[in-house]
Amino acid sequence: MTYSCTDFADDVLNDMVIRSWIKPEQYGPEDTQAQCDAVLGAIGDADVSPRQAAHAKQFHAELLDAVETLTGIADQHGALALATVVYLQAAILKGGVIELTRNEVDSFAFVRDLPSGGRWWQSVKVTE
């Protein structure tokens, strides 16, 4: 059985719908221009590579495995740590960094203890 261009296009569209990157209402089954516009729009809107998205998702999963709930972060490490987690996940997603003072690092050091803590800590810059 041969895999056709139509099969490929259908697989891409279906995957993007499953990931909520596009909506089926954006295109018709026979409207290849609308299909292309939907896909290119989703790609163009994303300043995020698939790798960065996967890393941010992994960070979130590791975090929840470690603390069980996001409110648990605030309970265990303080409200600032919870806010910093959100900023860090956004930095991982966008390929950026967050800046923490030496005082803030202490309440956020639990991130280093995550299974990929060393990788996540690369998105943290410690300032004076």
Side-chain angles (χ1 to χ4, degrees), residues 2-3 17 30 35 45 53 55-56 58 62 72-73 80-81 88 99 105 108 111 114-115 127-128:
T2 311
Y3 190 71
V17 166
E30 301 300 322
Q35 292 171 351
D45 288 345
H55 287 177
Q58 181 183 357
E62 288 182 12
I73 295 169
L80 180 61
L88 179 58
E99 293 184 356
V105 167
F108 200 63
V111 168
L114 297 174
T127 62
E128 296 302 317

Side-chain angles (χ1 to χ4, degrees), residues 28-105:
E30 301 300 322
D31 189 347
T32 55
Q33 183 62 56
Q35 292 171 351
C36 179
D37 292 344
V39 170
L40 291 178
I43 293 170
D45 288 345
D47 333 347
V48 176
S49 75
R51 175 175 283 186
Q52 290 167 321
H55 287 177
K57 184 178 178 181
Q58 181 183 357
F59 170 72
H60 188 76
E62 288 182 12
L63 188 66
L64 289 182
D65 285 346
V67 296
E68 295 184 23
T69 66
L70 293 177
T71 56
I73 295 169
D75 293 343
Q76 294 174 26
H77 306 284
L80 180 61
L82 176 58
T84 304
V85 161
V86 174
Y87 295 132
L88 179 58
Q89 185 173 16
I92 293 166
L93 188 62
K94 299 286 186 170
V97 297
I98 61 170
E99 293 184 356
L100 298 178
T101 65
R102 295 218 180 270
N103 292 338
E104 293 169 328
V105 167

